[in-house]
Amino acid sequence: MSELMTSILGLLSRGHIDRHTAQVLVETVRSAQTAKPEAAEQPEHPEAIAVIGVAAQLPGAPVYERFWDVLMAGEDRVEAAPRRRRELCEPLLTEADHDPEFITAAWLDDIDRFDAGFFGITPADARAMDPQQRRFLQVAYHCLEDAGQVSRIRGSRTGVYVSAAPGDYSGALGELTPSAVPGVVPSFVASRLSYHFDLRGPAFVSSATCASSLLVLHEACLGLRTGDCGMALVGGVNLFSLPIASGQLMDAAGIMADDHRSRPFDHEGVGIGRGEGIVALLLKPLDRAVRDGNRVHAVIRGSAVNNDGASASLTAPNPGAHTDLLLEAWRRAEVGPESLSYIEAHGTGTALGDPIEIRGIADAVARHTDRRQFIAIGSVKGNIGHLIDGAAGLSGLVKTMLVLKHGYVPPTVNLREPNRHIDFLDSPVFVPTEPWNLRAARTDDEPLRAGVSCFGFNGTNVHVVLEEAPRRTGVAVPGQPLLDVRPWVFPISARSRTSLRALVAAHARHGSAARSRDLAFSLWAGREHHSCRVAIIAPDLATFADTCQTLAGMDVDDWPKVAGVWTADGSHRDATGAAEEVLAHGYAAGEHLRWPDLFEDGEPPLLVDLPLYPFDEDSFWLGDSGSASPSSAAGTLAALLDAVSQALGYEAVSPADSFIGLGGTSLSAMQVQVTLRRKHDWQVDMADLLGAEHFAELASIIDSSRVDPQQSRR
């Protein structure tokens, strides 16, 4: 009983108020305690948000589109820890971890691999970085490529909204160096991307347990609508650096299934399984996306967030809160449940959670209609487990985007006997156990719509209403005649020869059905132009693909021998004067060209699907060999080069190199200062370390200061 009601009864007992007055006051208090919260103020017509870029690495699917194959095949990707993952754990184990037991989960491959040089990160810093930071950087880059924004986003007011699971990599680092600190602080998962692209919008990591990744999507939509940013990169990452069974938080909480598998809506579902995954989405207001000719993957019509409040216990779900959440999300999206074809449920496969979730859905739908079994539901957790704090909600959203794109609901995995505590016959929802065609039962031209729910262990609940992408015009389809037969220049570039050759091979396999003009435009406008370049002149896509196939089987040095191919090594040959040869010659030579002039005539070109950048990855992991080789130089220069090599992680450093040129930062410079002071009692000025043109010059400055400490700096 509340303090206020106790006071009312006290007044009655002392005769200060009569019985009738006390009864009225008590009823007033009770009504206030049970009143539904007022709907939040929202614009009458909230602005729809477009998903214009997407990239994902999920178990069994190294790229976004491959995940559809996993879903439609009904794959359960949960398995024992692979041998490579167990091997990676060896240098991280302590003496107390002898003969460890590894968790069972749905895994990603190669979480130790990273293209550090591409992002200007030194080997030492890459080795100390949490793998979640490294891998998210690459997936986020692919997302920007998919959106065609990677060459145009620098310096923009783009926000970065990320959720990242608590990492366990930092615990094995031992003593932290100054430059290693950002690599283990979770907030840098977001801000490191902002730093790389000079993004000026908000950048932060949110935490709301299992609801975190869908919460950052909601926050990003708010940021776009209020003008905090012009575009928003939304992401989530969940990796297990040290997947040892003992001491795992989810085990301690008692919500893990004995066989480590999620069984959504199944009567035998008694807990969750776990999984890894990385997702990145680029968002933009829909009207601007359409105006700018962006490719739209899906539309976010509305979203809502609330909390369970005082439920049965601190961690127990609340069906009333779930109902309120759905009603508010539908109100903001200006839709009713009758227009929904699918709901991606939180669907953990727990005895308590699933019946409460279905009850919340049923109660919300009942406010609008009494229809039964007309909304298909599912849960991705049967395929890849629960991606917990890092990417649970976004993995469900990615699945839902694919459902809307293909028009089918994949079968729900691990459902053998429906939960007996759920009355599906008297429910508005049903669970497909075979692929379900959403368009077959449609009698109208309304776009497909779906909802995505994610409920946090801490009581935070998020729901998002999605709509399929609007139809695009001007896109070529297989068998359609292509009328733009003329020589086009297709530019391809990379940071290394290895990546360039891999990218050319990817184009040979790509098999695009787009128009030549659109593919050329997408390469010019939608990709960064790096130092290793090739320009291919071809009259159509078949010739372009054949040329790429030829180049993929040759040494890069021999590429200029192929007709229509221009590289930096072959750019000395004279162009004939044809406009396309002049353009190809200039591009291969590294010139800054006015390529937009190519696409001024005719209808605006479209961004189309292209192969993603193949990173030139190396393994970076604690315990890997990364120490510097002893320098052969003498005296001060030798000591300086050794200190720099240790701080930056390079095997060899040349006297002609510079600290900034090697990717050094103010933090790694502090490490060099400390090393030189401790080993040699040298006081090296930060400005000299960062500003010297090369290490030979810096060694001379150090020698001069040792002879005359008062000597002025340059």
Side-chain angles (χ1 to χ4, degrees):
M1 185 178 294
S2 70
E3 293 181 2
L4 182 56
M5 293 183 71
T6 302
S7 299
I8 294 171
L9 296 179
L11 291 172
L12 175 63
S13 65
R14 292 191 295 271
H16 295 302
I17 58 175
D18 60 25
R19 188 178 185 84
H20 175 73
T21 303
Q23 186 176 3
V24 171
L25 290 174
V26 168
E27 289 301 321
T28 302
V29 171
R30 284 176 175 167
S31 298
Q33 290 177 335
T34 59
K36 295 295 182 182
E38 293 183 8
E41 289 294 328
Q42 280 289 109
E44 185 176 351
H45 299 287
E47 187 174 15
I49 304 297
V51 180
I52 65 170
V54 57
Q57 291 180 0
L58 294 165
V63 295
Y64 164 67
E65 279 290 353
R66 288 275 296 278
F67 192 48
W68 184 242
D69 299 332
V70 172
L71 296 169
M72 288 298 283
E75 295 181 16
D76 178 353
R77 301 296 304 186
V78 173
E79 61 181 1
R83 180 175 62 85
R84 175 60 178 155
R85 298 301 293 276
R86 299 196 302 270
E87 291 173 348
L88 286 175
C89 285
E90 291 178 3
L92 309 184
L93 299 176
T94 65
E95 293 182 2
D97 293 322
H98 62 281
D99 193 21
E101 178 187 355
F102 295 92
I103 68 173
T104 298
W107 306 92
L108 297 186
D109 296 328
D110 300 327
I111 69 165
D112 58 310
R113 301 190 66 78
F114 179 55
D115 191 342
F118 185 92
F119 294 98
I121 296 171
T122 67
D125 287 353
R127 194 168 294 110
M129 284 174 66
D130 190 311
Q132 297 193 131
Q133 282 199 34
R134 302 187 219 135
R135 300 301 293 182
F136 180 73
L137 268 177
Q138 296 188 171
V139 172
Y141 186 89
H142 281 163
C143 174
L144 295 175
E145 280 196 317
D146 180 74
Q149 298 294 316
V150 72
S151 64
R152 299 180 279 182
I153 201 170
R154 292 188 184 276
S156 67
R157 289 178 56 256
T158 298
V160 184
Y161 301 77
V162 180
S163 64
D168 47 21
Y169 188 76
S170 61
L173 279 174
E175 183 179 1
L176 283 173
T177 63
S179 62
V181 171
V184 299
V185 175
S187 61
F188 278 88
V189 179
S191 56
R192 195 180 288 274
L193 188 72
S194 294
Y195 171 78
H196 181 77
F197 283 105
D198 187 25
L199 305 179
R200 306 302 177 87
F204 57 85
V205 173
S206 287
S207 176
T209 62
C210 318
S212 298
S213 66
L214 217 56
L215 176 63
V216 294
L217 181 87
H218 173 78
E219 291 174 329
C221 291
L222 294 179
L224 290 168
R225 290 176 179 132
T226 59
D228 288 342
C229 53
M231 291 190 292
L233 191 292
V234 176
V237 54
N238 189 69
L239 299 178
F240 306 123
S241 299
L242 191 62
I244 307 300
S246 61
Q248 289 285 328
L249 183 63
M250 293 297 102
D251 288 316
I255 61 174
M256 290 300 305
D258 291 340
D259 62 356
H260 302 277
R261 280 176 165 75
S262 296
R263 303 183 184 281
F265 319 117
D266 189 84
H267 190 68
E268 299 299 322
V270 293
I272 66 170
R274 281 169 287 195
E276 297 183 309
I278 312 166
V279 177
L281 308 170
L282 188 64
L283 310 184
K284 188 177 185 179
L286 178 62
D287 59 347
R288 286 182 45 216
V290 172
R291 181 195 67 200
D292 296 342
N294 299 127
R295 185 172 54 154
V296 177
H297 291 281
V299 177
I300 301 169
R301 300 299 313 187
S303 60
V305 59
N306 71 4
N307 194 275
D308 285 334
S311 54
S313 69
L314 177 63
T315 58
N318 183 342
H322 294 179
T323 296
D324 293 341
L325 177 78
L326 295 175
L327 292 171
E328 181 63 18
W330 297 340
R331 186 187 73 81
R332 295 181 182 185
E334 298 181 332
V335 302
E338 302 92 336
S339 71
L340 299 178
S341 297
Y342 176 68
I343 291 178
E344 172 66 16
H346 189 55
T348 55
T350 56
L352 177 66
D354 286 358
I356 287 180
E357 179 172 10
I358 300 302
R359 178 183 164 189
I361 294 173
D363 289 348
V365 173
R367 305 284 184 89
H368 290 259
T369 179
D370 58 1
R371 291 178 63 189
R372 294 290 180 263
Q373 295 189 323
F374 70 100
I375 304 175
I377 64 168
S379 172
V380 75
K381 294 176 180 63
N383 301 97
I384 60 173
H386 194 337
L387 273 57
I388 315 178
D389 297 20
L394 287 182
S395 64
L397 189 117
V398 161
K399 172 189 171 182
T400 307
M401 288 171 55
L402 289 167
V403 166
L404 294 177
K405 176 180 179 179
H406 294 279
Y408 277 85
V409 176
T412 291
V413 177
N414 293 330
L415 175 57
R416 296 179 177 87
E417 179 186 359
N419 191 312
R420 297 172 199 162
H421 300 294
I422 302 174
D423 185 0
F424 282 109
L425 292 178
D426 194 34
S427 169
V429 300
F430 65 96
V431 186
T433 56
E434 298 291 337
W436 180 263
N437 188 340
L438 293 178
R439 302 187 192 279
R442 297 295 296 270
T443 59
D444 54 46
D445 294 329
E446 285 290 303
L448 291 176
R449 296 191 183 97
V452 184
S453 289
C454 198
F455 306 139
F457 189 49
N458 70 329
T460 298
N461 309 306
V462 187
H463 187 80
V464 176
V465 178
L466 283 182
E467 185 175 281
E468 68 175 316
R471 300 283 193 273
R472 294 182 85 191
T473 58
V475 180
V477 295
Q480 176 179 324
L482 302 178
L483 303 179
D484 58 342
V485 178
R486 49 157 284 190
W488 287 98
V489 178
F490 299 95
I492 305 175
S493 71
R495 288 285 299 272
S496 70
R497 282 189 161 201
T498 300
S499 290
L500 180 62
R501 185 171 180 174
L503 189 54
V504 167
H507 276 284
R509 300 187 300 266
H510 187 54
S512 175
R515 299 177 301 188
S516 300
R517 183 171 185 262
D518 291 336
L519 193 135
F521 170 76
S522 299
L523 284 169
W524 282 105
R527 292 295 186 264
E528 283 196 291
H529 300 294
H530 305 288
S531 56
C532 296
R533 298 182 173 190
V534 61
I536 299 173
I537 302 174
D540 51 55
L541 292 188
T543 304
F544 170 67
D546 288 344
T547 303
C548 288
Q549 185 66 52
T550 299
L551 298 181
M554 298 173 58
D555 188 276
V556 176
D557 290 332
D558 295 328
W559 284 5
K561 299 176 183 178
V562 178
V565 175
W566 296 75
T567 69
D569 293 338
S571 61
H572 60 275
R573 74 184 182 201
D574 294 332
T576 63
E580 60 271 12
E581 289 199 2
V582 173
L583 183 67
H585 178 282
Y587 179 79
E591 296 178 12
H592 181 71
L593 305 168
R594 288 187 51 80
W595 59 262
D597 295 345
L598 301 173
F599 306 98
E600 287 185 339
D601 298 332
E603 65 183 30
L606 298 173
L607 285 167
V608 296
D609 186 41
L610 295 174
L612 300 173
Y613 187 89
F615 290 105
D616 190 1
E617 299 175 334
D618 289 311
S619 177
F620 294 97
W621 203 255
L622 294 178
D624 288 349
S625 174
S627 59
S629 302
S631 174
S632 60
T636 304
L637 182 58
L640 174 62
L641 296 182
D642 287 344
V644 171
S645 297
Q646 292 171 15
L648 302 186
Y650 293 109
E651 294 185 0
V653 176
S654 165
D657 290 330
S658 70
F659 193 75
I660 293 296
L662 292 176
T665 66
S666 59
L667 292 176
S668 51
M670 290 171 58
Q671 186 177 340
V672 173
Q673 286 180 308
V674 170
T675 299
L676 294 178
R677 184 171 64 251
R678 288 178 177 175
K679 287 188 174 182
H680 307 284
D681 197 26
W682 297 344
Q683 300 294 330
V684 180
D685 190 89
M686 177 73 74
D688 291 332
L689 184 53
L690 297 176
E693 293 186 9
H694 44 70
F695 291 121
E697 178 187 12
L698 181 57
S700 297
I701 295 172
I702 294 172
D703 281 336
S704 298
S705 65
R706 289 163 58 201
V707 172
D708 181 5
Q710 301 302 318
Q711 181 174 332
S712 61
R713 303 295 183 193
R714 293 170 292 111

